Amino acid sequence: MSDDRRLEILRAIVQDYVRTSEPVGSKALLERHQLGVSAATVRNDMAVLEEEGLITAPHTSAGRVPTDAGYRMFVDRLSAVKPLTRAERTAIERFLHGAVDLDDVVTRTTRLLSSLTHQVAVMQYPSLSRSSVRHIELVPVGGTRLMVVLIVNTGRVEQRVIDVGRDLTGQEALVADLRARVNGTAVGEALTAVPDRLVGVVDAVAPEDRPVASAVAAALRDALEEQAEERVVLSGTANLARVNTDFPTSLSAVLDALEEHVVLLRLMGSLSSVPDADRVAVSIGAENPYAPLRTTSVVATSYGVAGGLGVLGPTRMDYPQAMAAVRAVAHYVAEILDG
Amino acid sequence: MSDDRRLEILRAIVQDYVRTSEPVGSKALLERHQLGVSAATVRNDMAVLEEEGLITAPHTSAGRVPTDAGYRMFVDRLSAVKPLTRAERTAIERFLHGAVDLDDVVTRTTRLLSSLTHQVAVMQYPSLSRSSVRHIELVPVGGTRLMVVLIVNTGRVEQRVIDVGRDLTGQEALVADLRARVNGTAVGEALTAVPDRLVGVVDAVAPEDRPVASAVAAALRDALEEQAEERVVLSGTANLARVNTDFPTSLSAVLDALEEHVVLLRLMGSLSSVPDADRVAVSIGAENPYAPLRTTSVVATSYGVAGGLGVLGPTRMDYPQAMAAVRAVAHYVAEILDG
DNA sequence: GACTGGCACTCGCGAAGTGAGAGTGCCAAC
DNA sequence: GTTGGCACTCTCACTTCGCGAGTGCCAGTC
C-alpha cells in the first residue's frame, strides 16, 4: 500500500511541471525531491498514476504531465493555500486603500490581482442580488422633462431623462411629493423588490398625477434593469500571450471568449456563489462548461456578498499561489466595500 | 518620367501585401494587375522604390514589402477613403441606436468597430474639454453626511458622500439653499470653469454655513477632477492574436501597452485633436511616439468635440477600409451623443 | 532614353536524413 | 515491494540539399 508515496509523486510532478512547463521524468524527479526510493520505483508508481488518469505522457519517450484530473487531485488533497507574507498583505492593503470610488476599486483590484498572479484577473461589479436603493432623486430639467437618478448602496448611479408629458415649471410641490413617495417606498429595499413596490406608489397619487408618476416608475424600472445587467472587468490579458506555449492554437479563441462578458459573468456567478464564505472555488480545464475555456482554469471566490472575483489562466497554473492571492484580495475588497 | 507608374506599382504592392500578407514579387504583380509593362520594367521601378525607402525586401530572393514610409505614401496620396455601402451604413445606424445609455453607446461602438475592421477598437469616453455641468444634486443621507452628485451633459455621473461636520437633520432649508446656489453657479458652465466659480459661492453664504459650503465645493472639485481623469474602452484584442504572424515576438508587449490606458488616451487625444472635423488621422508604425506600439498603426478621428475613437492594428492594415469605418462610426456616434 | 527579354545568381524554405539524449517498460535479483 | 540493468522508442535539434521564386544586370530594340 504505497498510496501515500504515489500521491507524493503526483504532487512533485505537478509542482515541477508548473515551474518548468516541461514534462517531468523519473530521473528529474529524483534530482529535485528526496523521495527515498529509486527511479525504477518512481516509474512503477507513475505507470499506476497514468492508469488512474491522473497524469499522461505527451509521447512515448517524454516525461509525464498532469491531466485535469491530476490537477484536481492536487488542488483538493495535495496542496494547502499558502498564506501570503506580511509584506504582501500590506502591499495589497495599501494599494487598494488608495481607491477613490467604486470604479477605481474595481480597476485597482483587477490590476493588483493580475500582477500578483501573472494571470488574467476578472472581477464582477457588485451585483443587484443583495444591493439596495440608497436614494432616488427627481430633478426637473426644463419644460416637460424630468431627470430620474437612482443611487445604489454599492455606489453605482444610474440616471434617465424622461418626458412626463406635462410642463413641470412651477410644479416643485408635485416633484417634491413624488420624490418623497418613491424614496419612502424604495430606500433601503433590495433592488429586486422595488418594481413591485412602485405599483403602490402610482396607485396612491392623485388621479391627475398618475401619468407623471407612472412615467417615473417606468424610468426607475428601466434603470433597475440596467443595474441588473451586470458588468465585469478584466486585466492582464497580456499574461495569456506570454505563456502562449500553453495555448497551441487557441489563444485567440480564449481572448475572444474573454470579450464575451456574459459568459464570464455566468462563470463568476457559479463559482463565487458557494455557501462557504471563505472558500475559493477552482474550475480546471475540461470541467469548464464553456468550450473555448476548456484549456484554462479559473480560480475564483466571492467578495462579501455582492459579486465574485478571480483569475483565469492555463491549467498549468500555480494553484496554491493563485488561491492565496484571490482569497486575500477578496478579503480586502470586501472590507473596503463595506466601509 | 515614369513617376506615375512607380506609384501605381507601390499601390499594387500595398494592396497585394495587405491581402496576402506575403512579400510580393514582380511576376505576381503582373498576374494581378494590368500594368502594361514587362516584369523587367517593374523590377527597375521596384529598385527605385526601394532606394526611396518606400519598400524593402525581407531577404535577397523574396518579394518586396511596404515600409512605414510606403504605407504613409499610400495613405496620403494613393488611396481614397472608400465610402461604405448603404447596407453597411444602415447596419451601423441600427446597431448604435439600440444603445440605452452612455456606457452602452461606448460598448456598442467599440464592438461594432472591431468587428467591422477586424482590428482592435479604441474609444475615449467623452472628455471634460468641452463638457459642461448639467445638474448638481445635494442629498442628506443621515446625520452629518451629505451626498453630492454631479451630472455632466455627456451623461456621465459622479458622486461623493462627504461628512460636513454638522448634523443636517431638519436642515432642509440650508441644503436647498446650497443646492440652488451651486446649480445657479455651475449649470451650463464648462467643467474647467467650475472650480473657480465655486469660490464665489462659498464666499456668498452666511459665515456659519461656510464650513458646509466649502466641504461641498471640495467634493465637487474632487468629482470634477475625477471626470478629468479620462477613460478609454477597448474591444477586439483577440484580433491581434489572430494575425500573430504580424507580431513575431511583441504580441504580449502590444497587449501590455493596450492596458496602459493613459498611453492610449494620449494617443487618441493627439490623433483626434486635428482641427479639420471630418479628417481621419493615421499613425503608422514607427511614427508612433510610444515604443511598444511601433509595430502597429492607429487610425483615429474625433466624434463631435468630446473625444476620439479609432482602431489599432498591424501596420499591414487595410487603411481605406479602416478609415471608412472609423469615419462612418464617428459620424453616427456624434449624432447620437448630440441627441 | 525608356522598355524588354534573357540569363546568371542568390537565398530562404521545406523535405529528408541523422545522432544524441531522455525516458520508458520489463525482468531478474534482492 | 524495491532495485539495478538493459533494450527499446521516439522527439528534437541539426545538417544537408534541391527547388523555385525572385533579383540585378546587360545587350538589344523601338
Side-chain angles (χ1 to χ4, degrees):
Chain A
M1 215 33 341
S2 51
D3 225 36
D4 286 356
R5 194 191 51 218
R6 269 211 295 283
L7 292 183
E8 187 57 36
I9 289 175
L10 174 58
R11 168 195 280 146
I13 291 175
V14 171
Q15 288 173 345
D16 279 17
Y17 183 61
V18 165
R19 214 173 45 82
T20 66
S21 83
E22 278 178 10
V24 10
S26 50
K27 260 186 217 162
L29 215 51
L30 285 178
E31 279 171 22
R32 297 222 338 118
H33 299 83
Q34 285 77 18
L35 292 172
V37 293
S38 78
T41 308
V42 173
R43 280 203 288 280
N44 290 333
D45 285 342
M46 279 173 138
V48 177
L49 287 171
E50 184 158 21
E51 254 172 46
E52 295 174 347
L54 297 173
I55 57 178
T56 181
H59 51 80
T60 324
S61 90
R64 303 306 217 292
V65 161
T67 61
D68 289 352
Y71 286 123
R72 167 56 59 200
M73 174 75 84
F74 175 80
V75 167
D76 287 350
R77 301 191 37 196
L78 300 176
S79 70
V81 177
K82 57 182 161 199
L84 300 184
T85 64
R86 173 161 289 285
E88 284 174 309
R89 302 188 92 87
T90 49
I92 293 174
E93 205 164 357
R94 190 165 303 147
F95 187 65
L96 290 185
H97 267 84
V100 298
D101 64 4
L102 183 65
D103 280 348
D104 202 25
V105 169
V106 175
T107 308
R108 281 169 180 255
T109 302
T110 52
R111 293 218 170 183
L112 176 64
L113 208 47
S114 68
S115 73
L116 278 175
T117 61
H118 307 292
Q119 311 289 355
V120 179
V122 186
M123 180 171 177
Q124 225 178 338
Y125 262 77
S127 83
L128 105 165
S129 48
R130 302 273 188 113
S131 301
S132 59
V133 173
R134 185 185 277 166
H135 181 73
I136 291 168
E137 189 54 44
L138 306 180
V139 187
V141 288
T144 61
R145 304 211 300 168
L146 183 69
M147 174 179 302
V148 182
V149 183
L150 169 73
I151 300 167
V152 180
N153 70 337
T154 53
R156 284 182 67 174
V157 178
E158 200 75 38
Q159 58 86 14
R160 295 278 183 285
V161 177
I162 57 172
D163 192 317
V164 296
R166 170 168 158 191
D167 193 344
L168 293 172
T169 319
Q171 301 276 322
E172 284 81 13
L174 166 59
V175 174
D177 176 54
L178 257 179
R179 184 188 297 130
R181 284 173 189 272
V182 291
N183 275 293
T185 304
V187 169
E189 295 296 324
L191 297 193
T192 44
V194 173
D196 286 346
R197 299 186 129 245
L198 285 175
V199 176
V201 173
V202 176
D203 288 348
V205 300
E208 66 272 24
D209 297 336
R210 293 260 167 85
V212 177
S214 60
V216 169
L220 282 172
R221 283 198 197 93
D222 187 50
L224 286 163
E225 204 160 306
E226 178 75 8
Q227 280 284 319
E229 192 184 280
E230 307 184 353
R231 285 167 56 199
V232 80
V233 171
L234 296 182
S235 171
T237 48
N239 290 326
L240 279 181
R242 204 159 288 129
V243 294
N244 62 0
T245 59
D246 289 316
F247 300 102
T249 56
S250 60
L251 173 60
S252 80
V254 173
L255 282 173
D256 257 340
L258 292 185
E259 293 208 350
E260 280 305 319
H261 288 185
V262 182
V263 171
L264 287 180
L265 280 168
R266 214 174 309 152
L267 195 64
M268 297 306 293
S270 67
L271 286 179
S272 67
S273 66
V274 287
D276 188 347
D278 222 26
R279 175 132 180 82
V280 178
V282 180
S283 172
I284 298 171
E287 295 171 8
N288 208 300
Y290 187 54
L293 297 182
R294 293 269 163 78
T295 56
T296 70
S297 285
V298 182
V299 174
T301 191
S302 59
Y303 55 90
V305 290
L309 59 78
V311 298
L312 178 149
T315 52
R316 188 184 72 74
M317 180 195 283
D318 185 345
Y319 293 96
Q321 200 252 342
M323 291 168 80
V326 166
R327 192 165 71 176
V329 170
H331 177 80
Y332 284 113
V333 169
E335 230 171 48
I336 288 173
L337 290 184
D338 274 357
Chain B
M1 214 33 342
S2 52
D3 225 37
D4 285 355
R5 193 191 52 217
R6 270 212 295 282
L7 291 182
E8 188 57 38
I9 288 175
L10 175 59
R11 169 195 277 143
I13 291 174
V14 171
Q15 286 173 346
D16 279 19
Y17 183 60
V18 165
R19 214 174 45 83
T20 65
S21 83
E22 277 177 11
V24 7
S26 51
K27 260 187 217 160
L29 215 52
L30 285 179
E31 279 170 24
R32 297 221 339 116
H33 300 84
Q34 284 78 19
L35 293 172
V37 293
S38 78
T41 307
V42 173
R43 279 202 287 281
N44 288 335
D45 286 343
M46 279 173 141
V48 177
L49 287 171
E50 184 159 19
E51 252 173 48
E52 295 175 346
L54 297 173
I55 58 179
T56 182
H59 50 80
T60 322
S61 90
R64 303 308 217 291
V65 161
T67 61
D68 290 352
Y71 285 124
R72 165 57 58 200
M73 174 76 84
F74 176 81
V75 167
D76 287 349
R77 302 192 34 197
L78 301 175
S79 70
V81 177
K82 57 182 162 198
L84 301 184
T85 64
R86 174 161 286 286
E88 283 174 309
R89 301 189 92 87
T90 50
I92 292 175
E93 205 164 359
R94 190 165 302 147
F95 187 65
L96 290 185
H97 267 83
V100 298
D101 64 5
L102 182 65
D103 280 348
D104 202 24
V105 169
V106 175
T107 309
R108 281 170 179 254
T109 301
T110 52
R111 294 217 171 186
L112 175 64
L113 208 47
S114 68
S115 72
L116 277 175
T117 60
H118 308 292
Q119 311 289 355
V120 180
V122 185
M123 179 172 178
Q124 224 178 340
Y125 262 77
S127 82
L128 105 164
S129 48
R130 303 273 187 115
S131 300
S132 59
V133 173
R134 186 185 276 164
H135 181 73
I136 292 168
E137 189 55 42
L138 306 180
V139 187
V141 288
T144 62
R145 304 212 300 167
L146 182 69
M147 175 180 298
V148 181
V149 183
L150 168 73
I151 301 168
V152 180
N153 71 337
T154 54
R156 285 182 66 175
V157 178
E158 201 74 37
Q159 57 85 18
R160 296 279 183 284
V161 178
I162 57 172
D163 192 319
V164 295
R166 168 168 160 191
D167 193 343
L168 293 171
T169 320
Q171 300 276 322
E172 285 81 13
L174 167 60
V175 174
D177 176 54
L178 258 180
R179 183 188 299 128
R181 283 174 189 272
V182 291
N183 275 292
T185 304
V187 168
E189 294 295 325
L191 297 195
T192 43
V194 173
D196 286 346
R197 300 186 128 246
L198 285 175
V199 177
V201 173
V202 175
D203 289 347
V205 299
E208 67 270 25
D209 296 337
R210 293 259 168 84
V212 178
S214 60
V216 169
L220 282 172
R221 284 198 197 94
D222 188 50
L224 286 163
E225 204 159 306
E226 179 75 8
Q227 280 284 320
E229 192 183 282
E230 307 183 354
R231 285 168 56 201
V232 80
V233 171
L234 295 182
S235 172
T237 48
N239 290 326
L240 279 181
R242 203 160 288 126
V243 294
N244 63 0
T245 59
D246 288 316
F247 299 103
T249 57
S250 61
L251 173 59
S252 81
V254 174
L255 283 172
D256 258 339
L258 293 184
E259 293 207 350
E260 280 305 318
H261 288 186
V262 181
V263 171
L264 287 181
L265 279 169
R266 215 172 310 152
L267 195 64
M268 297 306 292
S270 67
L271 286 179
S272 67
S273 67
V274 287
D276 188 347
D278 221 26
R279 173 129 181 82
V280 177
V282 181
S283 172
I284 298 171
E287 294 172 8
N288 207 299
Y290 188 53
L293 298 182
R294 294 267 163 78
T295 56
T296 70
S297 284
V298 183
V299 174
T301 191
S302 60
Y303 55 90
V305 290
L309 59 78
V311 299
L312 180 150
T315 52
R316 189 183 70 75
M317 181 195 283
D318 186 345
Y319 292 96
Q321 199 252 342
M323 291 168 80
V326 165
R327 192 165 70 175
V329 169
H331 177 81
Y332 284 114
V333 169
E335 231 169 47
I336 288 173
L337 289 184
D338 274 356

